[in-house]
Amino acid sequence: MMSSSPASPTGATAGRTQPELLVGLNAVILAVTQDQPRVLSVGPQTASLGDVAAKPEATSRALPFGPFDREHDRTLELCMRETVRKETGIELGYVEQLYTFADKGRDPRESSGGSRVLSVAYLALLQEGVLSGVEDATWEDCYEFFPWEDWRGGKPALIDEIEAALMEWAGRVEQTSAGSDYRERIDICFGLGDVGWDAYRVLERYELLYEAKLVAEYWLDRGQSPTSRIAERFGRPMAFDHRRILATGLGRVRGKLRYRPVAFELIPETFTLLRLQHAVEAISGLRSHKQNFRRLVERSGLVEGTGSREAKTGGRPAELFRFRRAVLRERRAPGVATLRSPRTP
Amino acid sequence: MMSSSPASPTGATAGRTQPELLVGLNAVILAVTQDQPRVLSVGPQTASLGDVAAKPEATSRALPFGPFDREHDRTLELCMRETVRKETGIELGYVEQLYTFADKGRDPRESSGGSRVLSVAYLALLQEGVLSGVEDATWEDCYEFFPWEDWRGGKPALIDEIEAALMEWAGRVEQTSAGSDYRERIDICFGLGDVGWDAYRVLERYELLYEAKLVAEYWLDRGQSPTSRIAERFGRPMAFDHRRILATGLGRVRGKLRYRPVAFELIPETFTLLRLQHAVEAISGLRSHKQNFRRLVERSGLVEGTGSREAKTGGRPAELFRFRRAVLRERRAPGVATLRSPRTP
DNA sequence: ACCCTTATACTCGTTATGAGTACAAGTGGA
DNA sequence: TCCACTTGTACTCATAACGAGTATAAGGGT
């Protein structure tokens, strides 16, 4: 309730009893290994828990999470770092807050009398090679969850299938309600017609597919089983709303790549330009022109040569570069601008 | 605690008792009126409450806020819209989630035995002319809180004063701790040396000033009074950590302006190009080249002429334009790219 | 020596950007 | 009516950035 004499920053009244609200933290931890974008997930490795194994949810991967300990943690971010450190042994570097999720129904247990759950999601980027020592924490390929997001090999064939399925859905919906702009949303989200593919819109695409009942979670959230076509073609589901959270995270990095030098958080201290390029391509899901990428990165002043070179390239040895921290002092908002759209013709 | 068999999206254990944690919502509601950026604030209009009037906090403005009603509200955003609607009569349009604040100590009452407060802040943009009917809700000029952020008249003289004060502070700190990169942070934040001014870094600047004890909140948070110089020169304080939240919001719009057409959320349906330019300038705090701004906006396809024109310009009548929604179907990430940096020479 | 691979340099045409100049079309007053 | 003043709009021009190539360098293997 707004109040004209603020008594607390939120206006919440102390001592007022309400049904339980749990606050937790989720972490989207991304890395690039073998030129593939990976996300750290937790959950049982194999479904060997007896009869539970039959249920698809039981084998879904989840994002690392933990409760927010309001007694001991000074900040949300520290709590998240601590949780991840304790549970996986990983010491996070680059971290940023992503989004706070609190929609009713995001935890299926709510409906059966459980508490409402609010969680604050964080995004973290790790360099290749940092591995978790914990058995049931695994790195998964991001594009298994979003197969339509990987355009590095050109427009995925799946896009046509998605377009057809979405248009069919939009047609059905338009008959009942006033929904003539569904087609427009579809065009924008998936870059159809003369729209270009915008790598950034990961979340919008996932949510549109969810609305169109084309992702497994739509059915699982309602206690039903997805059709086999959905289960096989439209990406692996994750537990709860974690695929949505992952979509938010992937979209955020892709966006940030354009104007902040976050790519360097994903690769070792020294690297060849091709490696940098591959990391950027893995995250953005787009292929870029090698010579121009080099020109762009060099001209930007983001990197400096180390003098030494890497021999194991299979061809001419490549020079090793390092990130010039000093660049932050010289230019505003440096990033890798090349990441516009792939040439579709 | 991370768990290998996820039982809840956050891992929070139901039924576990912890000290009270309150969840609330804050809204940064921005508009542009008379070419000035405004923020909607609440609080007593004048300090006529007796002896409380002497304390500066009693007269500070606060951002609109309300508790998150976990029973009735389906989503955080709906709760926020509802709160604002009920309390000010304003029906929000463009809204996005901004950030979640939960640092220990953000509510001064915590230390005196109160509850920990977490709040989710939202950003909303309104068109000129939407006014609140509620008496103690007022529109305040954003730059009263951040006088150093307005570069429309060229580099503010205040920047030199800030530079001096910060450098002096950095010098003092370096003697005690290992802090040789304070100067680098100062350079980056305030665009000194060969760095350019980056309009986007509003929060970083505010936080640096806070650390350097140059904003009133630093002292108020510790129950002390700021020096008169700080009170007079470094912007008006707000209640609690609301100036920090406002900084987050202003930074976010400034950033978004560059790649999404959010400027149109701030102006009426039809507008002259100069009006659009002034709205962009008000938010970004930068002046832009009129002819180039026009070229950019027209070439971008973001707008279309309506044929009619506005007479009240004081000179030649200007054509009225409207935002072309269709552009969203044609180009990825359209924005107003011109907003780089002001020519400082 | 020849072929394959990857790295790196350089070219070329197109488009975007910053900074102007020039002219158009209103207003109000001498 | 003419003139000064205001704001809007069209065009120019040099420079930088971008997309797409071609050409050459420098390693390994057979």
Side-chain angles (χ1 to χ4, degrees):
Chain A
M1 207 133 307
M2 278 188 208
S3 150
S4 46
S5 356
S8 138
T10 63
T13 313
R16 176 165 160 188
T17 46
Q18 291 201 337
E20 188 117 36
L21 175 66
L22 301 174
V23 174
L25 293 159
N26 282 77
V28 176
I29 304 175
L30 299 178
V32 173
T33 56
Q34 292 152 217
D35 300 340
Q36 283 296 113
R38 316 279 179 180
V39 57
L40 188 65
S41 70
V42 298
Q45 278 276 25
T46 59
S48 54
L49 305 171
D51 62 339
V52 198
K55 301 188 72 176
E57 303 94 305
T59 61
S60 290
R61 308 299 301 168
L63 297 174
F65 46 71
F68 173 48
D69 184 340
R70 61 204 72 169
E71 270 182 289
H72 300 107
D73 295 308
R74 214 157 42 75
T75 72
L76 289 167
E77 185 183 314
L78 288 174
C79 175
M80 197 271 302
R81 285 180 186 274
E82 180 67 10
T83 304
V84 172
R85 196 185 56 70
K86 276 204 295 228
E87 301 300 317
T88 70
I90 290 178
E91 197 75 54
L92 296 179
Y94 181 91
V95 156
E96 68 174 82
Q97 191 184 295
L98 200 51
Y99 202 81
T100 297
F101 298 84
D103 285 11
K104 191 168 258 181
R106 56 180 296 272
D107 184 340
R109 297 186 321 160
E110 278 176 21
S111 44
S112 49
S115 311
R116 184 79 177 265
V117 178
L118 175 149
S119 48
V120 183
Y122 275 81
L123 168 71
L125 303 181
L126 279 185
Q127 288 178 198
E128 180 163 355
V130 181
L131 289 180
S132 164
V134 175
E135 282 246 333
D136 50 34
T138 59
W139 289 100
E140 306 288 329
D141 181 347
C142 290
Y143 295 138
E144 284 188 25
F145 303 104
F146 309 107
W148 55 86
E149 293 292 343
D150 188 1
W151 286 55
R152 287 175 298 173
K155 178 175 168 177
L158 180 57
I159 293 286
D160 291 329
E161 187 175 343
I162 286 175
E163 175 179 1
L166 283 174
M167 285 303 180
E168 193 260 337
W169 165 75
R172 264 185 294 127
V173 176
E174 274 174 29
Q175 300 210 320
T176 54
S177 67
S180 85
D181 46 356
Y182 277 105
R183 287 158 197 281
E184 182 162 339
R185 257 181 84 200
I186 295 170
D187 284 355
I188 295 171
C189 281
F190 287 90
L192 309 177
D194 49 358
V195 200
W197 174 259
D198 185 347
Y200 166 84
R201 301 183 190 267
V202 187
L203 180 62
E204 285 169 72
R205 286 187 281 267
Y206 175 77
E207 294 198 319
L208 186 55
L209 289 173
Y210 185 100
E211 243 184 280
K213 311 178 185 181
L214 289 170
V215 289
E217 283 90 337
Y218 177 89
W219 304 98
L220 298 174
D221 287 350
R222 284 154 186 78
Q224 301 172 35
S225 283
T227 67
S228 62
R229 179 184 175 222
I230 287 175
E232 286 157 23
R233 304 286 299 153
F234 297 93
R236 263 172 83 184
M238 293 187 91
F240 312 108
D241 57 350
H242 289 192
R243 189 148 56 139
R244 183 182 307 258
I245 298 177
L246 176 57
T248 309
L250 185 56
R252 178 73 66 86
V253 213
R254 284 183 169 186
K256 207 131 194 179
L257 221 39
R258 295 197 261 234
Y259 61 99
R260 298 279 157 174
V262 285
F264 301 100
E265 309 293 343
L266 296 162
I267 54 177
E269 281 293 304
T270 66
F271 48 84
T272 66
L273 292 184
L274 188 59
R275 181 156 199 180
L276 173 62
Q277 183 181 344
H278 282 329
V280 167
E281 289 176 343
I283 294 293
S284 70
L286 301 175
R287 194 63 76 187
S288 41
H289 180 112
K290 185 169 175 174
Q291 296 92 317
N292 288 350
F293 183 88
R294 150 180 295 272
R295 176 178 65 186
L296 195 75
V297 171
E298 287 192 306
R299 209 176 21 68
S300 74
L302 286 168
V303 301
E304 61 192 355
T306 63
S308 54
R309 42 200 70 248
E310 176 162 274
K312 310 291 320 159
T313 57
R316 169 174 170 179
E319 180 164 14
L320 285 166
F321 290 81
R322 79 166 68 87
F323 176 49
R324 283 186 64 229
R325 303 231 152 253
V327 74
L328 299 174
R329 251 185 296 122
E330 294 158 13
R331 311 182 118 255
R332 286 150 295 96
V336 181
T338 344
L339 308 169
R340 296 296 162 74
S341 78
R343 34 245 134 263
T344 343
Chain B
M1 209 122 311
M2 278 187 206
S3 152
S4 47
S5 356
S8 134
T10 61
T13 313
R16 175 166 160 188
T17 45
Q18 290 198 337
E20 186 117 37
L21 175 66
L22 301 172
V23 174
L25 294 159
N26 282 78
V28 176
I29 305 174
L30 300 178
V32 174
T33 56
Q34 292 150 216
D35 300 339
Q36 282 297 113
R38 315 280 179 178
V39 56
L40 188 63
S41 71
V42 299
Q45 278 276 26
T46 57
S48 53
L49 305 170
D51 62 339
V52 199
K55 303 187 69 178
E57 304 94 305
T59 61
S60 290
R61 309 300 301 167
L63 297 174
F65 46 71
F68 174 48
D69 184 340
R70 60 204 73 170
E71 271 184 288
H72 300 108
D73 295 309
R74 214 158 42 76
T75 71
L76 289 167
E77 184 183 315
L78 288 174
C79 174
M80 196 272 301
R81 285 180 187 274
E82 180 67 10
T83 304
V84 172
R85 196 184 57 69
K86 277 205 292 232
E87 300 300 318
T88 70
I90 290 178
E91 197 76 54
L92 296 178
Y94 180 90
V95 156
E96 68 175 81
Q97 193 185 294
L98 199 50
Y99 202 81
T100 297
F101 299 84
D103 285 10
K104 192 168 257 180
R106 53 181 297 271
D107 183 341
R109 297 185 320 159
E110 279 175 22
S111 45
S112 48
S115 311
R116 185 81 178 263
V117 178
L118 176 149
S119 49
V120 184
Y122 275 81
L123 168 71
L125 303 181
L126 279 183
Q127 289 176 198
E128 180 162 356
V130 182
L131 289 180
S132 163
V134 175
E135 284 245 336
D136 49 33
T138 58
W139 290 99
E140 305 288 329
D141 180 347
C142 289
Y143 295 137
E144 283 188 26
F145 304 104
F146 308 108
W148 56 86
E149 294 291 344
D150 188 1
W151 285 56
R152 287 175 296 173
K155 177 175 168 178
L158 180 56
I159 292 286
D160 291 329
E161 187 175 343
I162 286 176
E163 175 179 1
L166 283 174
M167 285 303 180
E168 193 259 336
W169 164 74
R172 264 186 292 128
V173 176
E174 274 172 30
Q175 300 212 319
T176 53
S177 67
S180 86
D181 45 355
Y182 277 105
R183 286 157 199 279
E184 182 163 338
R185 256 181 86 200
I186 296 170
D187 283 355
I188 295 171
C189 281
F190 287 90
L192 309 177
D194 50 357
V195 200
W197 174 260
D198 185 347
Y200 165 86
R201 302 184 189 268
V202 187
L203 180 62
E204 284 169 73
R205 285 187 281 267
Y206 175 76
E207 294 197 322
L208 185 57
L209 289 173
Y210 185 100
E211 243 183 279
K213 312 178 184 179
L214 290 170
V215 290
E217 282 91 336
Y218 177 89
W219 303 98
L220 298 174
D221 288 351
R222 283 153 186 79
Q224 301 173 37
S225 284
T227 67
S228 63
R229 179 184 174 220
I230 287 175
E232 285 157 24
R233 304 286 298 153
F234 298 94
R236 261 172 84 182
M238 293 187 91
F240 312 109
D241 57 350
H242 290 191
R243 189 149 55 139
R244 181 181 309 256
I245 298 176
L246 176 56
T248 309
L250 186 56
R252 177 73 66 86
V253 213
R254 284 183 170 186
K256 206 133 197 178
L257 220 40
R258 296 196 261 233
Y259 61 100
R260 297 280 154 172
V262 285
F264 302 100
E265 309 292 343
L266 295 162
I267 53 177
E269 281 295 303
T270 65
F271 47 85
T272 66
L273 293 183
L274 189 59
R275 181 157 198 180
L276 173 62
Q277 182 181 346
H278 282 329
V280 167
E281 290 176 341
I283 293 294
S284 69
L286 301 176
R287 194 64 76 188
S288 41
H289 180 114
K290 186 169 175 173
Q291 297 92 318
N292 288 350
F293 183 89
R294 150 180 295 271
R295 175 178 66 185
L296 194 77
V297 171
E298 287 191 307
R299 208 176 23 68
S300 74
L302 286 168
V303 302
E304 62 193 354
T306 62
S308 54
R309 42 200 72 244
E310 177 163 275
K312 310 290 318 158
T313 58
R316 170 174 167 176
E319 180 163 14
L320 285 166
F321 290 80
R322 79 167 69 86
F323 176 49
R324 282 185 65 228
R325 303 234 150 251
V327 74
L328 298 175
R329 251 186 294 121
E330 293 158 12
R331 311 182 119 255
R332 285 150 296 96
V336 180
T338 344
L339 308 169
R340 295 298 162 73
S341 76
R343 35 246 133 262
T344 343

